[in-house]
Amino acid sequence: MNPNKALWEKGDFTRIAATMRDSGEVLVQRLGLTSEMKVLDLGGGDGTTALPAAKLGAEVLVVDIARNLVEAGNRRAAEHSLAKLRFEEGDASNLEALPDGMFDLVVSIFGAMFAPKPFDVAKEMVRVTKPGRRIVMGNWIPNDPTLVAQILKISAHYTPPPPEGFVSPMTWGIESHVLERFTAAGVPADRISFARDTFTFHFPGAPSGFVAEFRKYYGPTMNAFDAAEKNGRAGELQKELEELFTSQNKSGRDDATAVPATFLRVTVAL
Ligand SMILES: C[S@@+](CC[C@H](N)C(=O)[O-])C[C@H]1O[C@@H](n2cnc3c(N)ncnc32)[C@H](O)[C@@H]1O
């Protein structure tokens, strides 16, 4: 089994995605979509960005590696009667089923960053985008003090080191790496721009309840707890995460959680 696929089919990412919908909509509102556009959403999960994009009239294809998320996305598309929205299983590092220059916009918000072979991912994103059009990525930033980078950092203290040659997905949050990958795909450096942006997670319960969702449903956190349990350190991991979520909760209440997280927005103008 492909470990990249197994990681994201583990648990149920739709539970975490449900806390990300507001920011997904806000981000999509700023993309300037029109009903004539063809959009590819890579690693789009169950449609946090794809649904709002399709509601604006664009024709949207989501390619995601996790079968369960593709199924969940297609169910949501049907529930919302979005005939121009489709989810398919596939790998961002190999989009061979898609012809060159097919899309007006390729978007990937915390999606393609998780695919192995980042140079292939950049090459494929450039290949399927129409000349003169755009790629927009949202990537978590390593060592950032906000939520997601901190979850991954804490979790790394409880898990065995990755195999030799493993390229961390978080390198997509470092501008020099992003430049290297897109210039290797033939894009001039001055066509690649960066901005800091914020995604806010909203959970209708206490921060400890939100940690419980990650522990039960988010593949990377489930793996960290599996490893910590083997070493008798699951309680320690739970405590560190609860402290993190509580300290980052900006809801002003104990029974609701609102956590803003900073990411790197990358725009590639072809
Ligand atoms: C953190 S989730 C984000 C999902 C969605 N973009 C959102 O914001 O709700 C990461 C997504 O990337 C997908 N993914 C991971 N590796 C992938 C790959 N190699 N190709 C395509 N999708 C991938 C996962 O299945 C998952 O849906």
Side-chain angles (χ1 to χ4, degrees), residues 4 8 13 17 20 43-45 48 63-66 69 90-92 109-111 114-115:
N4 172 223
W8 292 100
F13 183 75
M20 301 166 73
T48 294
V63 171
D64 196 285
I65 201 154
L69 300 179
D91 189 329
I109 306 303
F110 324 129
F114 291 102

Side-chain angles (χ1 to χ4, degrees), residues 48-112:
T48 294
T49 42
L51 246 84
K55 281 184 182 165
L56 291 173
E59 184 178 328
V60 185
L61 171 66
V62 176
V63 171
D64 196 285
I65 201 154
R67 179 189 302 219
N68 53 335
L69 300 179
V70 166
E71 286 168 0
N74 278 321
R75 275 197 303 275
R76 293 185 76 218
E79 279 158 21
H80 290 262
S81 306
L82 291 167
K84 285 165 76 184
L85 170 61
R86 177 168 116 251
F87 292 72
E88 283 180 6
E89 216 176 300
D91 189 329
S93 60
N94 180 358
L95 301 171
E96 63 189 356
L98 302 175
D100 296 0
M102 190 180 175
F103 297 98
D104 299 288
L105 174 70
V106 174
V107 67
S108 188
I109 306 303
F110 324 129

Side-chain angles (χ1 to χ4, degrees), residues 18-254:
T19 70
M20 301 166 73
R21 304 294 192 216
D22 294 351
S23 289
E25 288 213 33
V26 170
L27 188 145
V28 168
Q29 293 294 341
R30 291 183 291 161
L31 291 176
L33 292 176
T34 63
S35 56
E36 291 80 45
M37 285 187 176
K38 280 194 178 173
V39 176
L40 173 66
D41 190 337
L42 274 181
D46 69 345
T48 294
T49 42
L51 246 84
K55 281 184 182 165
L56 291 173
E59 184 178 328
V60 185
L61 171 66
V62 176
V63 171
D64 196 285
I65 201 154
R67 179 189 302 219
N68 53 335
L69 300 179
V70 166
E71 286 168 0
N74 278 321
R75 275 197 303 275
R76 293 185 76 218
E79 279 158 21
H80 290 262
S81 306
L82 291 167
K84 285 165 76 184
L85 170 61
R86 177 168 116 251
F87 292 72
E88 283 180 6
E89 216 176 300
D91 189 329
S93 60
N94 180 358
L95 301 171
E96 63 189 356
L98 302 175
D100 296 0
M102 190 180 175
F103 297 98
D104 299 288
L105 174 70
V106 174
V107 67
S108 188
I109 306 303
F110 324 129
M113 67 173 287
F114 291 102
K117 305 192 194 151
F119 282 88
D120 290 358
V121 171
K123 203 167 105 201
E124 283 296 73
M125 286 197 280
V126 171
R127 183 183 67 75
V128 300
T129 307
K130 271 187 203 151
R133 303 302 163 93
R134 258 178 320 153
I135 300 167
V136 175
M137 286 184 94
N139 300 330
W140 299 120
I141 302 166
N143 297 317
D144 186 80
T146 59
L147 189 78
V148 182
Q150 290 301 314
I151 296 176
L152 298 177
K153 192 173 171 186
I154 290 171
S155 302
H157 295 148
Y158 294 83
T159 42
E164 181 106 355
F166 175 79
V167 182
S168 166
M170 300 299 279
T171 53
W172 273 109
I174 302 170
E175 295 181 15
S176 57
H177 285 260
V178 178
L179 277 168
E180 201 186 357
R181 290 163 190 176
F182 280 113
T183 52
V187 181
D190 64 358
R191 313 294 298 179
I192 306 163
S193 58
F194 301 98
R196 301 271 152 154
D197 208 335
T198 302
F199 229 75
T200 301
F201 294 81
H202 289 282
F203 176 72
S208 58
F210 199 20
V211 173
E213 292 283 292
F214 274 81
R215 184 171 181 168
K216 257 202 243 163
Y217 299 113
Y218 181 62
T221 308
M222 294 167 76
N223 282 351
F225 272 102
D226 288 348
E229 263 155 27
K230 284 192 190 119
N231 300 320
R233 296 178 66 206
E236 219 180 301
L237 174 56
Q238 175 83 25
K239 184 165 169 281
E240 272 204 75
L241 290 178
E242 283 189 13
E243 281 167 5
L244 171 71
F245 280 58
T246 304
S247 67
Q248 304 241 344
N249 181 15
K250 300 285 183 278
S251 72
R253 295 162 46 175
D254 294 335

